[in-house]
Amino acid sequence: MGSIHSYETKAGKRFYRIVYRRPDHKQTQERGFTRRRDAELRLAEVEIGKAKGDYVNPADAREDVASIATGWLRAREQVMKPSSYQALRGAWETHVQPRWGARQVGGVRHSEVQDWVSELSRDRAATTVLRAHGVLAAVLDVALKDRRVSRNVARGVSLPRKVSKSKPYLTHRQVQTLADASGHPVLVLFLAYTGLRWGEATGLRVKHVDALRRRVNVEENAVLVGGVIHIGTPKTHEARSVPYPEFLALPVAKLCEGKSRDDLLFGDGLVHMRLPNSVKGWFAGAVNRVLEVEAKAAAVAKSRGEEEPARMPRVTPHDLRHTAASLAISAGANVKAVQRMLGHASASMTLDTYADLFDDDLDSVAIALDQARRAVITNL
C-alpha cells in the first residue's frame, strides 16, 4: 500500500503527496494535493487501478493527442484506400487537431467532447460530425490500449443521426434520353445498367470484357484523389463479374475495336476518364439539356390545359448506380443478385441502402398468398 505525506512550500502553504509503487515495482510519487482527502482518494484510485490491471502512469497520460494521432494516421494510410484516407486526414486537420491536438490525453473530459460534438452539429452535416468524432475516438482508443488513460471519454457521447436522402431513380426512357443528350452515350447506358461505380467503369480494360458471356470482370478501381488518378482494387477489395444487357453487346464490342488487351475500355484507351465537373462537365450539361427540353414541354402542356409530363430528376453519375439497382429490382432480380451486381459487402447492406425499392415486394407477397389461397379453396 502507498502512503500520504504532508509538506510545506517556501511560502508556508501545506500540501500533500502520495508515495506508491507502480506495477513495475518502481516507486513514484504524486504531489500538489491541497487536501488530505484528495490525496486519499487518489491513492485509493491508484491501488484499485493496480488491482484491476488498468493503472495509468500520470507521466504517460501527459502525452498530447497530436503525437498519438501521428502514428495512428500513418498506420491508417497503409491499409486504407487513398480516397478514404484523404477524408480521414481532412477530418483530423480541419476539426480535430485545432481543438484537441495540443491537449494531454489524460486531461480530455467526456463533457468537453460532448460540447464539441454539439457545437459541430450546429453548423456541419451529420456525416462530417460523425467522421470527426470517429477520428478523436479512434486516437483515444490507442491511448487506452497504451494504458495512457483508463477509459475512452469520447465513447458514449450523444451523436447526430444521418438523415437518409431520397435517391433519384430514372426510368428506362429517361436513361435513354439522358444518354442521347450526352457526349458519351455508351458510358451513360453502361453505368445505368451495370451499377458500376465511376472508378470501376473507367478502370475497365479490354481484357476485362467477356463478350461471349456479356460480362465484365471488375478488378480495378480508378479514383481521383488530390488531382491524381489512383489505381487500386474495387471498394470491397474483391473482384466481381457483372453482366451487361444484350443491347449493349455491340456498343461494347465497338469500344474494344482497335485496342490492345491492356487498353482502357472507355476513353482513348490510354488515359483514364476523369469524373466530369458537377457544374460544367459533360454529364451536368446533358442533364441540363434534358431538363430544359422537359421544362418547355411542360410549359406547352400547361398552356393547353393538359397534364404536365413527369420530369427527370437531376442526377449525377453516381446516381446511375442507384438507377441500376432500381431497374434490376423492378425487373425481378432478388436482393442477392443485386448485391453481387453492385459489389456490396452483404445482402443486408443492399437491403439497408435500397429498402424503399423492396417495399413493393411486401405487396407482391400478400397478392401471391391471396392468389394461392383462392386457387386451393376453389378446388376443394
Side-chain angles (χ1 to χ4, degrees):
M1 296 291 291
S3 57
I4 300 174
H5 307 274
S6 63
Y7 65 94
E8 290 187 1
T9 65
K10 292 181 179 180
K13 293 184 177 181
R14 173 171 291 195
F15 290 91
Y16 295 89
R17 64 187 175 92
I18 60 175
V19 180
Y20 60 90
R21 290 190 179 278
R22 301 198 305 255
D24 59 6
H25 303 298
K26 292 183 179 180
Q27 183 170 289
T28 188
Q29 63 175 322
E30 296 181 33
R31 304 164 58 90
F33 299 98
T34 57
R35 300 185 306 168
R36 184 180 182 86
R37 178 60 176 165
D38 295 334
E40 291 173 345
L41 289 173
R42 173 55 184 164
L43 183 58
E45 180 183 23
V46 167
E47 296 300 335
I48 293 174
K50 288 162 58 178
K52 294 173 62 177
D54 57 7
Y55 165 79
V56 174
N57 187 341
D60 294 335
R62 288 195 287 271
E63 189 77 18
D64 60 67
V65 173
S67 63
I68 298 176
T70 299
W72 178 77
L73 285 168
R74 189 184 304 117
R76 300 309 300 160
E77 185 176 16
Q78 302 304 315
V79 298
M80 295 181 73
K81 290 184 174 296
S83 56
S84 299
Y85 175 74
Q86 185 183 51
L88 202 70
R89 188 171 188 87
W92 161 255
E93 294 177 346
T94 305
H95 302 295
V96 184
Q97 185 179 30
R99 180 67 174 269
W100 304 106
R103 290 288 298 275
Q104 297 178 0
V105 290
V108 179
R109 297 289 177 263
H110 178 85
S111 59
E112 293 179 303
V113 177
Q114 182 64 74
D115 290 343
W116 172 64
V117 168
S118 300
E119 181 182 329
L120 277 180
S121 300
R122 286 195 290 269
D123 303 316
R124 304 288 180 174
T127 300
T128 301
V129 177
L130 294 174
R131 183 180 291 122
H133 169 265
V135 169
L136 176 62
V139 172
L140 293 183
D141 275 340
V142 175
L144 180 61
K145 292 176 181 178
D146 287 346
R147 299 285 181 86
R148 296 183 184 278
V149 293
S150 59
R151 68 188 184 94
N152 187 341
V153 297
R155 299 298 181 186
V157 301
S158 298
L159 298 170
R161 291 185 178 182
K162 288 184 180 180
V163 178
S164 299
K165 297 180 180 179
S166 59
K167 300 177 182 64
Y169 303 120
L170 303 188
T171 64
H172 291 284
R173 185 176 298 280
Q174 288 172 333
V175 171
Q176 187 61 55
T177 301
L178 179 60
D180 292 339
S182 77
H184 301 277
V186 179
L187 179 54
V188 171
L189 293 172
F190 191 85
L191 291 172
Y193 284 93
T194 63
L196 266 63
R197 301 174 179 89
W198 175 269
E200 294 172 340
T202 57
L204 288 173
R205 300 181 186 277
V206 173
K207 64 183 179 182
H208 296 147
V209 178
D210 184 344
L212 293 178
R213 300 176 63 203
R214 292 199 310 276
R215 293 200 176 196
V216 290
N217 296 316
V218 183
E219 301 175 6
E220 296 182 10
N221 191 28
V223 182
L224 182 66
V225 181
V228 179
I229 296 289
H230 291 261
I231 309 301
T233 58
K235 190 172 183 179
T236 57
H237 298 285
E238 293 185 3
R240 68 185 190 279
S241 178
V242 178
Y244 55 88
E246 186 175 358
F247 75 86
L248 279 174
L250 183 57
V252 169
K254 288 184 177 180
L255 290 177
C256 296
E257 290 181 357
K259 294 180 179 178
S260 68
R261 283 176 47 80
D262 290 324
D263 283 346
L264 297 168
L265 180 64
F266 292 101
D268 63 4
L270 302 176
V271 180
H272 290 87
M273 291 184 64
R274 297 197 171 201
L275 187 66
N277 184 279
S278 60
V279 178
K280 301 179 180 179
W282 63 266
F283 190 90
V287 172
N288 289 334
R289 285 190 288 274
V290 172
L291 293 179
E292 288 174 4
V293 171
E294 291 184 343
K296 292 178 180 178
V300 171
K302 185 176 181 180
S303 66
R304 295 175 178 175
E306 301 172 351
E307 182 179 355
E308 294 185 26
R311 301 193 193 186
M312 183 185 79
R314 184 172 292 277
V315 294
T316 66
H318 187 75
D319 289 330
L320 295 183
R321 177 172 167 82
H322 303 321
T323 290
S326 173
L327 296 178
I329 293 170
S330 63
N334 61 50
V335 64
K336 199 64 182 176
V338 177
Q339 174 216 334
R340 292 175 59 188
M341 179 182 76
L342 298 178
H344 283 165
S346 64
S348 61
M349 180 180 178
T350 305
L351 285 170
D352 289 341
T353 305
Y354 298 108
D356 56 324
L357 295 178
F358 287 96
D359 282 347
D360 291 341
D361 287 355
L362 295 176
D363 297 329
S364 300
V365 169
I367 293 172
L369 288 173
D370 183 73
Q371 293 174 344
R373 181 183 181 279
R374 289 175 183 276
V376 172
I377 298 300
T378 301
N379 292 332
L380 289 179

